[in-house]
Amino acid sequence: MKPIFILFIITTTTPILGQLRYPAGVINVNTTPGVGIVEELRPEAEEVKNVLYLYDDWKTIVFTIANDEKKYRFPGRIDILNDRIELKDSRTLKVIQGRLINYILLQDTGSSDRFFIRNNSFDNQTEFPLGFYEVLTEGKINLLKLYGYLLLQSSYNPALDVGNRSPELRLTEGYVIMKNNSAFELPNKKKEIFALLGDSAESISKKESLNPKKDEELIQLITLLNQK
């Protein structure tokens, strides 16, 4: 099956505190008796420098960068909006652009380690968006989760005084299958998923009662396929 071009599939969206905000609007009030119309004249959106973190607190991350075999270890955060990682030591805050990173190992006390790669690991890397791909399964079939963002414009209705006054950023997740170093968009239909995963995928799915359209069950299915 040939690789498919993907911008990325939004499967879930999670509200994030980060926002792009409009400046204060000018309020016009029609004082004609019986009308009482209040209208907000909203100016053009003003872009505010911002961040959208995959997680808010600082966690230990180990990473390597392009053309450098050294492993670096810092408290860090992944900034999805600006495609970079922020690092801190005892004296200063440092920033490294995502395009320079080979991989990230995220170590969180009390939780399992999380491993992220860049799409420069794909033979068909130009067909996929730049970003951080979390490795959910390892083996001959890899399930990857791509993190991105969605900008929702202001939905504020001044007449009814409802809706969000500011644009909102939401974290998005998309899934990719990697086989033999080539990446493929995860299909929407079960039959297409089974075809992509291989001949025994459907039979194992039926035997183990696993629905490949459910995240955790898809991970279980691919894990079983990797053990064959």
Side-chain angles (χ1 to χ4, degrees), residues 145-177:
K145 181 186 288 188
L146 168 64
Y147 294 94
Y149 67 92
L150 179 67
L151 174 61
L152 302 178
Q153 297 295 340
S154 170
S155 61
Y156 181 67
N157 184 327
L160 301 176
D161 193 26
V162 295
N164 295 326
R165 289 178 177 268
S166 303
E168 181 183 5
L169 285 171
R170 290 192 178 181
L171 189 67
T172 63
E173 300 173 352
Y175 290 90
V176 171
I177 296 291

Side-chain angles (χ1 to χ4, degrees), residues 1 13 37 42 49 54-55 62 71 73 78 93 97 101 103 116 124-125 129 133 140 149 152 159 162 176 189-190 222:
M1 182 174 183
T13 57
I37 297 175
R42 190 176 63 194
K49 291 183 180 179
L54 183 58
Y55 49 87
V62 179
K71 292 183 179 179
R73 182 186 181 92
I78 299 176
L93 177 69
Q97 296 301 318
I101 297 168
Y103 73 81
F116 299 81
N124 55 331
Q125 58 182 281
Y133 292 74
K140 59 185 179 183
Y149 67 92
L152 302 178
V162 295
V176 171
K189 297 180 179 179
K190 284 186 180 181
I222 294 176

Side-chain angles (χ1 to χ4, degrees), residues 28-76:
N28 282 355
V29 180
N30 186 334
T31 57
T32 304
V35 178
I37 297 175
V38 178
E39 180 183 18
E40 179 179 359
L41 303 180
R42 190 176 63 194
E44 292 297 321
E46 177 185 359
E47 185 174 345
V48 178
K49 291 183 180 179
N50 216 321
V51 292
L52 181 62
Y53 296 121
L54 183 58
Y55 49 87
D56 291 325
D57 53 336
W58 296 91
K59 303 181 187 298
T60 301
I61 61 175
V62 179
F63 63 96
T64 63
I65 58 177
N67 301 318
D68 187 349
E69 296 181 358
K70 180 180 177 180
K71 292 183 179 179
Y72 296 88
R73 182 186 181 92
F74 284 94

Side-chain angles (χ1 to χ4, degrees), residues 121-140:
S121 302
F122 308 163
D123 285 346
N124 55 331
Q125 58 182 281
T126 58
E127 299 178 29
F128 286 80
L130 296 174
F132 293 98
Y133 292 74
E134 183 174 6
V135 180
L136 302 181
T137 66
E138 290 186 78
K140 59 185 179 183

